PDB file of all heavy atoms in Angstrom:
ATOM      1  N   PHE Z   1     -54.541 -56.761 -15.865  1.00  0.00           N
ATOM      2  CA  PHE Z   1     -54.363 -55.755 -14.805  1.00  0.00           C
ATOM      3  C   PHE Z   1     -54.102 -56.359 -13.495  1.00  0.00           C
ATOM      4  O   PHE Z   1     -54.330 -57.602 -13.356  1.00  0.00           O
ATOM      5  CB  PHE Z   1     -55.556 -54.799 -14.747  1.00  0.00           C
ATOM      6  CG  PHE Z   1     -55.818 -54.045 -16.002  1.00  0.00           C
ATOM      7  CD1 PHE Z   1     -56.377 -54.582 -17.167  1.00  0.00           C
ATOM      8  CD2 PHE Z   1     -55.344 -52.673 -16.036  1.00  0.00           C
ATOM      9  CE1 PHE Z   1     -56.521 -53.825 -18.278  1.00  0.00           C
ATOM     10  CE2 PHE Z   1     -55.576 -51.901 -17.168  1.00  0.00           C
ATOM     11  CZ  PHE Z   1     -56.168 -52.504 -18.322  1.00  0.00           C
ATOM     12  N   ARG Z   2     -53.602 -55.689 -12.469  1.00  0.00           N
ATOM     13  CA  ARG Z   2     -53.455 -56.196 -11.241  1.00  0.00           C
ATOM     14  C   ARG Z   2     -53.858 -55.217 -10.116  1.00  0.00           C
ATOM     15  O   ARG Z   2     -53.712 -53.991 -10.377  1.00  0.00           O
ATOM     16  CB  ARG Z   2     -52.094 -56.742 -10.997  1.00  0.00           C
ATOM     17  CG  ARG Z   2     -51.041 -55.708 -10.953  1.00  0.00           C
ATOM     18  CD  ARG Z   2     -49.642 -56.421 -10.905  1.00  0.00           C
ATOM     19  NE  ARG Z   2     -48.537 -55.481 -10.942  1.00  0.00           N
ATOM     20  CZ  ARG Z   2     -47.207 -55.749 -10.907  1.00  0.00           C
ATOM     21  NH1 ARG Z   2     -46.869 -57.005 -11.065  1.00  0.00           N
ATOM     22  NH2 ARG Z   2     -46.333 -54.771 -10.833  1.00  0.00           N
ATOM     23  N   GLN Z   3     -54.203 -55.775  -9.027  1.00  0.00           N
ATOM     24  CA  GLN Z   3     -54.616 -54.826  -7.893  1.00  0.00           C
ATOM     25  C   GLN Z   3     -54.095 -55.398  -6.537  1.00  0.00           C
ATOM     26  O   GLN Z   3     -54.518 -56.506  -6.258  1.00  0.00           O
ATOM     27  CB  GLN Z   3     -56.079 -54.619  -7.804  1.00  0.00           C
ATOM     28  CG  GLN Z   3     -56.523 -53.585  -6.803  1.00  0.00           C
ATOM     29  CD  GLN Z   3     -57.940 -53.112  -6.965  1.00  0.00           C
ATOM     30  OE1 GLN Z   3     -58.743 -53.747  -7.635  1.00  0.00           O
ATOM     31  NE2 GLN Z   3     -58.292 -51.945  -6.348  1.00  0.00           N
ATOM     32  N   ALA Z   4     -53.045 -54.736  -5.933  1.00  0.00           N
ATOM     33  CA  ALA Z   4     -52.575 -55.083  -4.650  1.00  0.00           C
ATOM     34  C   ALA Z   4     -53.486 -54.490  -3.487  1.00  0.00           C
ATOM     35  O   ALA Z   4     -54.167 -53.482  -3.792  1.00  0.00           O
ATOM     36  CB  ALA Z   4     -51.222 -54.679  -4.522  1.00  0.00           C
ATOM     37  N   PRO Z   5     -53.481 -55.082  -2.379  1.00  0.00           N
ATOM     38  CA  PRO Z   5     -54.255 -54.519  -1.188  1.00  0.00           C
ATOM     39  C   PRO Z   5     -53.982 -53.152  -0.986  1.00  0.00           C
ATOM     40  O   PRO Z   5     -52.779 -52.763  -0.905  1.00  0.00           O
ATOM     41  CB  PRO Z   5     -53.843 -55.372  -0.115  1.00  0.00           C
ATOM     42  CG  PRO Z   5     -53.334 -56.680  -0.744  1.00  0.00           C
ATOM     43  CD  PRO Z   5     -52.692 -56.289  -1.996  1.00  0.00           C
ATOM     44  N   GLY Z   6     -54.954 -52.271  -0.883  1.00  0.00           N
ATOM     45  CA  GLY Z   6     -54.743 -50.759  -0.577  1.00  0.00           C
ATOM     46  C   GLY Z   6     -54.390 -50.041  -1.764  1.00  0.00           C
ATOM     47  O   GLY Z   6     -53.952 -48.884  -1.600  1.00  0.00           O
ATOM     48  N   LYS Z   7     -54.236 -50.621  -2.990  1.00  0.00           N
ATOM     49  CA  LYS Z   7     -53.633 -49.923  -4.140  1.00  0.00           C
ATOM     50  C   LYS Z   7     -54.679 -49.886  -5.267  1.00  0.00           C
ATOM     51  O   LYS Z   7     -55.604 -50.701  -5.276  1.00  0.00           O
ATOM     52  CB  LYS Z   7     -52.391 -50.501  -4.620  1.00  0.00           C
ATOM     53  CG  LYS Z   7     -51.223 -50.412  -3.705  1.00  0.00           C
ATOM     54  CD  LYS Z   7     -49.947 -50.898  -4.273  1.00  0.00           C
ATOM     55  CE  LYS Z   7     -48.776 -50.736  -3.272  1.00  0.00           C
ATOM     56  NZ  LYS Z   7     -47.444 -51.060  -3.946  1.00  0.00           N
ATOM     57  N   VAL Z   8     -54.581 -48.954  -6.165  1.00  0.00           N
ATOM     58  CA  VAL Z   8     -55.493 -48.900  -7.270  1.00  0.00           C
ATOM     59  C   VAL Z   8     -55.077 -49.991  -8.289  1.00  0.00           C
ATOM     60  O   VAL Z   8     -54.007 -50.530  -8.381  1.00  0.00           O
ATOM     61  CB  VAL Z   8     -55.481 -47.531  -8.026  1.00  0.00           C
ATOM     62  CG1 VAL Z   8     -55.876 -46.421  -7.088  1.00  0.00           C
ATOM     63  CG2 VAL Z   8     -54.097 -47.196  -8.568  1.00  0.00           C
ATOM     64  N   ARG Z   9     -56.122 -50.373  -9.175  1.00  0.00           N
ATOM     65  CA  ARG Z   9     -55.853 -51.392 -10.132  1.00  0.00           C
ATOM     66  C   ARG Z   9     -54.960 -50.795 -11.141  1.00  0.00           C
ATOM     67  O   ARG Z   9     -55.056 -49.611 -11.551  1.00  0.00           O
ATOM     68  CB  ARG Z   9     -57.134 -51.820 -10.832  1.00  0.00           C
ATOM     69  CG  ARG Z   9     -57.060 -52.906 -11.858  1.00  0.00           C
ATOM     70  CD  ARG Z   9     -58.425 -53.381 -12.275  1.00  0.00           C
ATOM     71  NE  ARG Z   9     -59.180 -53.926 -11.050  1.00  0.00           N
ATOM     72  CZ  ARG Z   9     -60.314 -54.480 -11.255  1.00  0.00           C
ATOM     73  NH1 ARG Z   9     -60.847 -54.731 -12.444  1.00  0.00           N
ATOM     74  NH2 ARG Z   9     -61.054 -54.907 -10.079  1.00  0.00           N
ATOM     75  N   GLU Z  10     -53.898 -51.528 -11.555  1.00  0.00           N
ATOM     76  CA  GLU Z  10     -52.858 -51.033 -12.521  1.00  0.00           C
ATOM     77  C   GLU Z  10     -52.698 -51.901 -13.697  1.00  0.00           C
ATOM     78  O   GLU Z  10     -52.870 -53.115 -13.667  1.00  0.00           O
ATOM     79  CB  GLU Z  10     -51.483 -50.841 -11.741  1.00  0.00           C
ATOM     80  CG  GLU Z  10     -50.802 -52.129 -11.305  1.00  0.00           C
ATOM     81  CD  GLU Z  10     -49.568 -51.872 -10.775  1.00  0.00           C
ATOM     82  OE1 GLU Z  10     -49.105 -50.800 -10.662  1.00  0.00           O
ATOM     83  OE2 GLU Z  10     -48.783 -52.851 -10.485  1.00  0.00           O
ATOM     84  N   PHE Z  11     -52.357 -51.277 -14.833  1.00  0.00           N
ATOM     85  CA  PHE Z  11     -52.058 -51.909 -16.078  1.00  0.00           C
ATOM     86  C   PHE Z  11     -50.840 -52.794 -15.923  1.00  0.00           C
ATOM     87  O   PHE Z  11     -49.847 -52.357 -15.412  1.00  0.00           O
ATOM     88  CB  PHE Z  11     -51.915 -50.837 -17.165  1.00  0.00           C
ATOM     89  CG  PHE Z  11     -51.443 -51.356 -18.460  1.00  0.00           C
ATOM     90  CD1 PHE Z  11     -52.322 -52.091 -19.272  1.00  0.00           C
ATOM     91  CD2 PHE Z  11     -50.207 -51.210 -18.917  1.00  0.00           C
ATOM     92  CE1 PHE Z  11     -51.860 -52.575 -20.555  1.00  0.00           C
ATOM     93  CE2 PHE Z  11     -49.760 -51.684 -20.159  1.00  0.00           C
ATOM     94  CZ  PHE Z  11     -50.500 -52.375 -20.951  1.00  0.00           C
ATOM     95  N   VAL Z  12     -50.897 -53.952 -16.486  1.00  0.00           N
ATOM     96  CA  VAL Z  12     -49.773 -54.884 -16.594  1.00  0.00           C
ATOM     97  C   VAL Z  12     -49.293 -55.041 -18.047  1.00  0.00           C
ATOM     98  O   VAL Z  12     -48.156 -54.797 -18.476  1.00  0.00           O
ATOM     99  CB  VAL Z  12     -50.093 -56.247 -15.975  1.00  0.00           C
ATOM    100  CG1 VAL Z  12     -48.907 -57.219 -16.104  1.00  0.00           C
ATOM    101  CG2 VAL Z  12     -50.501 -55.977 -14.493  1.00  0.00           C
ATOM    102  N   ALA Z  13     -50.263 -55.488 -18.862  1.00  0.00           N
ATOM    103  CA  ALA Z  13     -49.911 -55.715 -20.301  1.00  0.00           C
ATOM    104  C   ALA Z  13     -51.149 -55.773 -21.140  1.00  0.00           C
ATOM    105  O   ALA Z  13     -52.317 -56.067 -20.590  1.00  0.00           O
ATOM    106  CB  ALA Z  13     -49.079 -57.063 -20.469  1.00  0.00           C
ATOM    107  N   SER Z  14     -51.073 -55.556 -22.434  1.00  0.00           N
ATOM    108  CA  SER Z  14     -52.151 -55.656 -23.336  1.00  0.00           C
ATOM    109  C   SER Z  14     -51.685 -56.111 -24.697  1.00  0.00           C
ATOM    110  O   SER Z  14     -50.443 -55.967 -25.006  1.00  0.00           O
ATOM    111  CB  SER Z  14     -52.891 -54.318 -23.540  1.00  0.00           C
ATOM    112  OG  SER Z  14     -52.052 -53.350 -24.106  1.00  0.00           O
ATOM    113  N   ILE Z  15     -52.548 -56.807 -25.375  1.00  0.00           N
ATOM    114  CA  ILE Z  15     -52.287 -57.239 -26.719  1.00  0.00           C
ATOM    115  C   ILE Z  15     -53.365 -57.035 -27.720  1.00  0.00           C
ATOM    116  O   ILE Z  15     -54.582 -57.106 -27.355  1.00  0.00           O
ATOM    117  CB  ILE Z  15     -51.982 -58.849 -26.547  1.00  0.00           C
ATOM    118  CG1 ILE Z  15     -51.479 -59.422 -27.962  1.00  0.00           C
ATOM    119  CG2 ILE Z  15     -53.199 -59.536 -26.070  1.00  0.00           C
ATOM    120  CD1 ILE Z  15     -50.962 -60.844 -27.803  1.00  0.00           C
ATOM    121  N   SER Z  16     -53.127 -56.640 -28.920  1.00  0.00           N
ATOM    122  CA  SER Z  16     -54.083 -56.351 -29.908  1.00  0.00           C
ATOM    123  C   SER Z  16     -54.794 -57.686 -30.339  1.00  0.00           C
ATOM    124  O   SER Z  16     -54.343 -58.701 -30.172  1.00  0.00           O
ATOM    125  CB  SER Z  16     -53.496 -55.566 -31.139  1.00  0.00           C
ATOM    126  OG  SER Z  16     -52.500 -56.391 -31.722  1.00  0.00           O
ATOM    127  N   ARG Z  17     -55.951 -57.474 -31.149  1.00  0.00           N
ATOM    128  CA  ARG Z  17     -56.580 -58.719 -31.506  1.00  0.00           C
ATOM    129  C   ARG Z  17     -55.764 -59.648 -32.549  1.00  0.00           C
ATOM    130  O   ARG Z  17     -55.968 -60.839 -32.375  1.00  0.00           O
ATOM    131  CB  ARG Z  17     -57.819 -58.255 -32.388  1.00  0.00           C
ATOM    132  CG  ARG Z  17     -57.454 -57.354 -33.587  1.00  0.00           C
ATOM    133  CD  ARG Z  17     -58.686 -57.143 -34.460  1.00  0.00           C
ATOM    134  NE  ARG Z  17     -59.193 -58.226 -35.218  1.00  0.00           N
ATOM    135  CZ  ARG Z  17     -60.208 -58.264 -36.026  1.00  0.00           C
ATOM    136  NH1 ARG Z  17     -60.813 -57.139 -36.306  1.00  0.00           N
ATOM    137  NH2 ARG Z  17     -60.506 -59.329 -36.694  1.00  0.00           N
ATOM    138  N   SER Z  18     -54.743 -59.092 -33.222  1.00  0.00           N
ATOM    139  CA  SER Z  18     -53.998 -59.927 -33.933  1.00  0.00           C
ATOM    140  C   SER Z  18     -52.652 -60.357 -33.283  1.00  0.00           C
ATOM    141  O   SER Z  18     -51.836 -61.234 -33.804  1.00  0.00           O
ATOM    142  CB  SER Z  18     -53.607 -59.197 -35.259  1.00  0.00           C
ATOM    143  OG  SER Z  18     -52.776 -57.995 -34.946  1.00  0.00           O
ATOM    144  N   GLY Z  19     -52.413 -59.729 -32.119  1.00  0.00           N
ATOM    145  CA  GLY Z  19     -51.061 -59.944 -31.532  1.00  0.00           C
ATOM    146  C   GLY Z  19     -49.905 -59.173 -32.011  1.00  0.00           C
ATOM    147  O   GLY Z  19     -48.816 -59.137 -31.607  1.00  0.00           O
ATOM    148  N   ALA Z  20     -50.324 -58.201 -33.029  1.00  0.00           N
ATOM    149  CA  ALA Z  20     -49.220 -57.327 -33.653  1.00  0.00           C
ATOM    150  C   ALA Z  20     -48.773 -56.284 -32.809  1.00  0.00           C
ATOM    151  O   ALA Z  20     -47.673 -55.869 -32.899  1.00  0.00           O
ATOM    152  CB  ALA Z  20     -49.798 -56.787 -34.941  1.00  0.00           C
ATOM    153  N   SER Z  21     -49.583 -55.752 -31.778  1.00  0.00           N
ATOM    154  CA  SER Z  21     -49.092 -54.726 -30.859  1.00  0.00           C
ATOM    155  C   SER Z  21     -49.243 -55.337 -29.513  1.00  0.00           C
ATOM    156  O   SER Z  21     -50.319 -55.850 -29.105  1.00  0.00           O
ATOM    157  CB  SER Z  21     -50.036 -53.546 -31.041  1.00  0.00           C
ATOM    158  OG  SER Z  21     -49.802 -52.850 -32.254  1.00  0.00           O
ATOM    159  N   ILE Z  22     -48.241 -55.047 -28.728  1.00  0.00           N
ATOM    160  CA  ILE Z  22     -48.100 -55.591 -27.350  1.00  0.00           C
ATOM    161  C   ILE Z  22     -47.587 -54.428 -26.560  1.00  0.00           C
ATOM    162  O   ILE Z  22     -46.555 -53.816 -26.972  1.00  0.00           O
ATOM    163  CB  ILE Z  22     -47.255 -56.844 -27.251  1.00  0.00           C
ATOM    164  CG1 ILE Z  22     -48.066 -58.054 -27.779  1.00  0.00           C
ATOM    165  CG2 ILE Z  22     -46.975 -57.090 -25.708  1.00  0.00           C
ATOM    166  CD1 ILE Z  22     -47.226 -59.239 -27.791  1.00  0.00           C
ATOM    167  N   TYR Z  23     -48.225 -54.122 -25.350  1.00  0.00           N
ATOM    168  CA  TYR Z  23     -47.575 -53.122 -24.488  1.00  0.00           C
ATOM    169  C   TYR Z  23     -47.457 -53.724 -23.095  1.00  0.00           C
ATOM    170  O   TYR Z  23     -48.199 -54.605 -22.616  1.00  0.00           O
ATOM    171  CB  TYR Z  23     -48.500 -51.896 -24.385  1.00  0.00           C
ATOM    172  CG  TYR Z  23     -48.663 -51.161 -25.714  1.00  0.00           C
ATOM    173  CD1 TYR Z  23     -49.677 -51.270 -26.576  1.00  0.00           C
ATOM    174  CD2 TYR Z  23     -47.562 -50.338 -26.070  1.00  0.00           C
ATOM    175  CE1 TYR Z  23     -49.789 -50.649 -27.675  1.00  0.00           C
ATOM    176  CE2 TYR Z  23     -47.647 -49.591 -27.262  1.00  0.00           C
ATOM    177  CZ  TYR Z  23     -48.788 -49.751 -28.037  1.00  0.00           C
ATOM    178  OH  TYR Z  23     -48.864 -49.098 -29.348  1.00  0.00           O
ATOM    179  N   TYR Z  24     -46.474 -53.232 -22.386  1.00  0.00           N
ATOM    180  CA  TYR Z  24     -46.187 -53.697 -20.990  1.00  0.00           C
ATOM    181  C   TYR Z  24     -45.970 -52.506 -20.112  1.00  0.00           C
ATOM    182  O   TYR Z  24     -45.510 -51.424 -20.568  1.00  0.00           O
ATOM    183  CB  TYR Z  24     -44.951 -54.565 -20.853  1.00  0.00           C
ATOM    184  CG  TYR Z  24     -45.058 -55.835 -21.636  1.00  0.00           C
ATOM    185  CD1 TYR Z  24     -44.387 -55.969 -22.860  1.00  0.00           C
ATOM    186  CD2 TYR Z  24     -45.587 -56.876 -21.044  1.00  0.00           C
ATOM    187  CE1 TYR Z  24     -44.519 -57.193 -23.476  1.00  0.00           C
ATOM    188  CE2 TYR Z  24     -45.668 -58.214 -21.646  1.00  0.00           C
ATOM    189  CZ  TYR Z  24     -45.115 -58.347 -22.903  1.00  0.00           C
ATOM    190  OH  TYR Z  24     -45.147 -59.481 -23.518  1.00  0.00           O
ATOM    191  N   ALA Z  25     -46.489 -52.583 -18.868  1.00  0.00           N
ATOM    192  CA  ALA Z  25     -46.011 -51.523 -17.850  1.00  0.00           C
ATOM    193  C   ALA Z  25     -44.573 -51.620 -17.620  1.00  0.00           C
ATOM    194  O   ALA Z  25     -43.996 -52.740 -17.859  1.00  0.00           O
ATOM    195  CB  ALA Z  25     -46.839 -51.745 -16.614  1.00  0.00           C
ATOM    196  N   ASP Z  26     -44.061 -50.568 -17.158  1.00  0.00           N
ATOM    197  CA  ASP Z  26     -42.527 -50.559 -16.816  1.00  0.00           C
ATOM    198  C   ASP Z  26     -42.121 -51.792 -15.824  1.00  0.00           C
ATOM    199  O   ASP Z  26     -41.093 -52.386 -16.036  1.00  0.00           O
ATOM    200  CB  ASP Z  26     -42.066 -49.235 -16.285  1.00  0.00           C
ATOM    201  CG  ASP Z  26     -42.162 -48.169 -17.396  1.00  0.00           C
ATOM    202  OD1 ASP Z  26     -42.098 -48.491 -18.553  1.00  0.00           O
ATOM    203  OD2 ASP Z  26     -42.182 -47.045 -17.056  1.00  0.00           O
ATOM    204  N   SER Z  27     -42.827 -51.930 -14.850  1.00  0.00           N
ATOM    205  CA  SER Z  27     -42.425 -52.826 -13.769  1.00  0.00           C
ATOM    206  C   SER Z  27     -42.224 -54.236 -14.190  1.00  0.00           C
ATOM    207  O   SER Z  27     -41.300 -54.902 -13.921  1.00  0.00           O
ATOM    208  CB  SER Z  27     -43.485 -52.770 -12.587  1.00  0.00           C
ATOM    209  OG  SER Z  27     -43.165 -53.800 -11.643  1.00  0.00           O
ATOM    210  N   PRO Z  28     -43.244 -54.819 -15.035  1.00  0.00           N
ATOM    211  CA  PRO Z  28     -43.101 -56.244 -15.360  1.00  0.00           C
ATOM    212  C   PRO Z  28     -42.319 -56.435 -16.705  1.00  0.00           C
ATOM    213  O   PRO Z  28     -41.984 -57.503 -17.198  1.00  0.00           O
ATOM    214  CB  PRO Z  28     -44.505 -56.668 -15.588  1.00  0.00           C
ATOM    215  CG  PRO Z  28     -45.274 -55.595 -15.937  1.00  0.00           C
ATOM    216  CD  PRO Z  28     -44.602 -54.388 -15.160  1.00  0.00           C
ATOM    217  N   LYS Z  29     -41.920 -55.306 -17.285  1.00  0.00           N
ATOM    218  CA  LYS Z  29     -41.300 -55.400 -18.708  1.00  0.00           C
ATOM    219  C   LYS Z  29     -39.959 -56.213 -18.585  1.00  0.00           C
ATOM    220  O   LYS Z  29     -39.143 -56.010 -17.694  1.00  0.00           O
ATOM    221  CB  LYS Z  29     -40.946 -54.033 -19.229  1.00  0.00           C
ATOM    222  CG  LYS Z  29     -40.562 -54.019 -20.686  1.00  0.00           C
ATOM    223  CD  LYS Z  29     -40.370 -52.548 -21.170  1.00  0.00           C
ATOM    224  CE  LYS Z  29     -41.676 -51.809 -21.126  1.00  0.00           C
ATOM    225  NZ  LYS Z  29     -41.558 -50.346 -21.648  1.00  0.00           N
ATOM    226  N   GLY Z  30     -39.851 -57.173 -19.474  1.00  0.00           N
ATOM    227  CA  GLY Z  30     -38.726 -58.006 -19.498  1.00  0.00           C
ATOM    228  C   GLY Z  30     -38.791 -59.273 -18.660  1.00  0.00           C
ATOM    229  O   GLY Z  30     -38.102 -60.267 -18.844  1.00  0.00           O
ATOM    230  N   ARG Z  31     -39.849 -59.353 -17.826  1.00  0.00           N
ATOM    231  CA  ARG Z  31     -40.170 -60.403 -16.969  1.00  0.00           C
ATOM    232  C   ARG Z  31     -41.448 -61.171 -17.318  1.00  0.00           C
ATOM    233  O   ARG Z  31     -41.565 -62.413 -17.235  1.00  0.00           O
ATOM    234  CB  ARG Z  31     -40.166 -60.107 -15.541  1.00  0.00           C
ATOM    235  CG  ARG Z  31     -38.949 -59.394 -14.914  1.00  0.00           C
ATOM    236  CD  ARG Z  31     -39.076 -59.207 -13.546  1.00  0.00           C
ATOM    237  NE  ARG Z  31     -39.970 -58.169 -13.120  1.00  0.00           N
ATOM    238  CZ  ARG Z  31     -41.039 -58.447 -12.391  1.00  0.00           C
ATOM    239  NH1 ARG Z  31     -41.140 -59.634 -11.770  1.00  0.00           N
ATOM    240  NH2 ARG Z  31     -41.920 -57.603 -12.117  1.00  0.00           N
ATOM    241  N   PHE Z  32     -42.348 -60.327 -17.799  1.00  0.00           N
ATOM    242  CA  PHE Z  32     -43.668 -60.990 -18.146  1.00  0.00           C
ATOM    243  C   PHE Z  32     -43.879 -60.979 -19.666  1.00  0.00           C
ATOM    244  O   PHE Z  32     -43.387 -60.079 -20.412  1.00  0.00           O
ATOM    245  CB  PHE Z  32     -44.904 -60.083 -17.595  1.00  0.00           C
ATOM    246  CG  PHE Z  32     -44.998 -60.085 -16.097  1.00  0.00           C
ATOM    247  CD1 PHE Z  32     -44.047 -60.823 -15.311  1.00  0.00           C
ATOM    248  CD2 PHE Z  32     -45.989 -59.504 -15.421  1.00  0.00           C
ATOM    249  CE1 PHE Z  32     -44.092 -60.807 -13.898  1.00  0.00           C
ATOM    250  CE2 PHE Z  32     -46.161 -59.519 -14.005  1.00  0.00           C
ATOM    251  CZ  PHE Z  32     -45.183 -60.153 -13.275  1.00  0.00           C
ATOM    252  N   THR Z  33     -44.690 -61.979 -20.125  1.00  0.00           N
ATOM    253  CA  THR Z  33     -44.911 -62.078 -21.512  1.00  0.00           C
ATOM    254  C   THR Z  33     -46.439 -62.321 -21.748  1.00  0.00           C
ATOM    255  O   THR Z  33     -46.968 -63.229 -21.223  1.00  0.00           O
ATOM    256  CB  THR Z  33     -44.173 -63.149 -22.259  1.00  0.00           C
ATOM    257  OG1 THR Z  33     -42.744 -62.893 -22.090  1.00  0.00           O
ATOM    258  CG2 THR Z  33     -44.411 -63.218 -23.739  1.00  0.00           C
ATOM    259  N   ILE Z  34     -47.101 -61.445 -22.554  1.00  0.00           N
ATOM    260  CA  ILE Z  34     -48.527 -61.696 -22.824  1.00  0.00           C
ATOM    261  C   ILE Z  34     -48.584 -62.313 -24.214  1.00  0.00           C
ATOM    262  O   ILE Z  34     -47.789 -61.961 -25.200  1.00  0.00           O
ATOM    263  CB  ILE Z  34     -49.258 -60.302 -22.814  1.00  0.00           C
ATOM    264  CG1 ILE Z  34     -50.716 -60.640 -22.948  1.00  0.00           C
ATOM    265  CG2 ILE Z  34     -48.779 -59.333 -23.785  1.00  0.00           C
ATOM    266  CD1 ILE Z  34     -51.677 -59.398 -22.661  1.00  0.00           C
ATOM    267  N   SER Z  35     -49.516 -63.246 -24.397  1.00  0.00           N
ATOM    268  CA  SER Z  35     -49.753 -63.890 -25.715  1.00  0.00           C
ATOM    269  C   SER Z  35     -51.160 -64.291 -25.795  1.00  0.00           C
ATOM    270  O   SER Z  35     -51.962 -64.254 -24.809  1.00  0.00           O
ATOM    271  CB  SER Z  35     -48.844 -65.077 -25.807  1.00  0.00           C
ATOM    272  OG  SER Z  35     -49.029 -66.015 -24.885  1.00  0.00           O
ATOM    273  N   ARG Z  36     -51.596 -64.694 -26.975  1.00  0.00           N
ATOM    274  CA  ARG Z  36     -52.980 -65.127 -27.087  1.00  0.00           C
ATOM    275  C   ARG Z  36     -53.083 -66.207 -28.218  1.00  0.00           C
ATOM    276  O   ARG Z  36     -52.178 -66.272 -29.066  1.00  0.00           O
ATOM    277  CB  ARG Z  36     -53.875 -63.918 -27.593  1.00  0.00           C
ATOM    278  CG  ARG Z  36     -53.586 -63.307 -28.908  1.00  0.00           C
ATOM    279  CD  ARG Z  36     -54.406 -62.050 -29.097  1.00  0.00           C
ATOM    280  NE  ARG Z  36     -55.889 -62.234 -29.082  1.00  0.00           N
ATOM    281  CZ  ARG Z  36     -56.712 -61.332 -28.934  1.00  0.00           C
ATOM    282  NH1 ARG Z  36     -56.329 -59.985 -28.640  1.00  0.00           N
ATOM    283  NH2 ARG Z  36     -57.952 -61.646 -29.004  1.00  0.00           N
ATOM    284  N   ASP Z  37     -54.075 -67.031 -27.959  1.00  0.00           N
ATOM    285  CA  ASP Z  37     -54.349 -68.030 -28.989  1.00  0.00           C
ATOM    286  C   ASP Z  37     -55.837 -67.878 -29.393  1.00  0.00           C
ATOM    287  O   ASP Z  37     -56.728 -68.262 -28.598  1.00  0.00           O
ATOM    288  CB  ASP Z  37     -54.088 -69.421 -28.302  1.00  0.00           C
ATOM    289  CG  ASP Z  37     -54.332 -70.601 -29.256  1.00  0.00           C
ATOM    290  OD1 ASP Z  37     -54.916 -70.425 -30.407  1.00  0.00           O
ATOM    291  OD2 ASP Z  37     -53.730 -71.729 -29.051  1.00  0.00           O
ATOM    292  N   ASN Z  38     -56.096 -67.326 -30.518  1.00  0.00           N
ATOM    293  CA  ASN Z  38     -57.504 -66.957 -30.841  1.00  0.00           C
ATOM    294  C   ASN Z  38     -58.162 -68.260 -31.168  1.00  0.00           C
ATOM    295  O   ASN Z  38     -59.445 -68.302 -31.077  1.00  0.00           O
ATOM    296  CB  ASN Z  38     -57.472 -66.127 -32.117  1.00  0.00           C
ATOM    297  CG  ASN Z  38     -57.014 -64.644 -31.719  1.00  0.00           C
ATOM    298  OD1 ASN Z  38     -57.008 -64.272 -30.525  1.00  0.00           O
ATOM    299  ND2 ASN Z  38     -56.615 -63.873 -32.749  1.00  0.00           N
ATOM    300  N   ALA Z  39     -57.593 -69.392 -31.609  1.00  0.00           N
ATOM    301  CA  ALA Z  39     -58.265 -70.671 -31.844  1.00  0.00           C
ATOM    302  C   ALA Z  39     -58.792 -71.152 -30.529  1.00  0.00           C
ATOM    303  O   ALA Z  39     -59.786 -71.994 -30.584  1.00  0.00           O
ATOM    304  CB  ALA Z  39     -57.346 -71.571 -32.529  1.00  0.00           C
ATOM    305  N   LYS Z  40     -58.139 -70.861 -29.427  1.00  0.00           N
ATOM    306  CA  LYS Z  40     -58.630 -71.332 -28.102  1.00  0.00           C
ATOM    307  C   LYS Z  40     -59.296 -70.239 -27.236  1.00  0.00           C
ATOM    308  O   LYS Z  40     -59.725 -70.559 -26.128  1.00  0.00           O
ATOM    309  CB  LYS Z  40     -57.385 -71.908 -27.351  1.00  0.00           C
ATOM    310  CG  LYS Z  40     -56.708 -73.107 -28.014  1.00  0.00           C
ATOM    311  CD  LYS Z  40     -55.584 -73.613 -27.120  1.00  0.00           C
ATOM    312  CE  LYS Z  40     -54.960 -74.799 -27.776  1.00  0.00           C
ATOM    313  NZ  LYS Z  40     -53.799 -75.334 -26.904  1.00  0.00           N
ATOM    314  N   ASN Z  41     -59.562 -69.104 -27.854  1.00  0.00           N
ATOM    315  CA  ASN Z  41     -60.128 -68.047 -27.087  1.00  0.00           C
ATOM    316  C   ASN Z  41     -59.465 -67.737 -25.763  1.00  0.00           C
ATOM    317  O   ASN Z  41     -60.151 -67.472 -24.829  1.00  0.00           O
ATOM    318  CB  ASN Z  41     -61.691 -68.320 -26.844  1.00  0.00           C
ATOM    319  CG  ASN Z  41     -62.494 -68.036 -28.180  1.00  0.00           C
ATOM    320  OD1 ASN Z  41     -61.949 -67.841 -29.208  1.00  0.00           O
ATOM    321  ND2 ASN Z  41     -63.812 -68.044 -27.906  1.00  0.00           N
ATOM    322  N   THR Z  42     -58.136 -67.844 -25.882  1.00  0.00           N
ATOM    323  CA  THR Z  42     -57.502 -67.742 -24.487  1.00  0.00           C
ATOM    324  C   THR Z  42     -56.332 -66.688 -24.701  1.00  0.00           C
ATOM    325  O   THR Z  42     -55.587 -66.674 -25.680  1.00  0.00           O
ATOM    326  CB  THR Z  42     -56.862 -69.073 -24.164  1.00  0.00           C
ATOM    327  OG1 THR Z  42     -58.031 -69.952 -23.928  1.00  0.00           O
ATOM    328  CG2 THR Z  42     -56.144 -68.915 -22.792  1.00  0.00           C
ATOM    329  N   VAL Z  43     -56.090 -65.828 -23.661  1.00  0.00           N
ATOM    330  CA  VAL Z  43     -54.959 -65.025 -23.546  1.00  0.00           C
ATOM    331  C   VAL Z  43     -54.182 -65.470 -22.286  1.00  0.00           C
ATOM    332  O   VAL Z  43     -54.739 -65.923 -21.328  1.00  0.00           O
ATOM    333  CB  VAL Z  43     -55.362 -63.522 -23.437  1.00  0.00           C
ATOM    334  CG1 VAL Z  43     -56.211 -63.291 -22.151  1.00  0.00           C
ATOM    335  CG2 VAL Z  43     -54.121 -62.626 -23.454  1.00  0.00           C
TER     336      VAL Z  43
END
């Protein structure tokens, strides 16, 4: 998620536990990529 000064916190992207489902907000779609490495406990 992200929050700009004076604005509400907004959704950017999410990923399911397996990585099988990924969603993006319209603004970053096509520019941002979410991924995860469960072996490293990192998104």
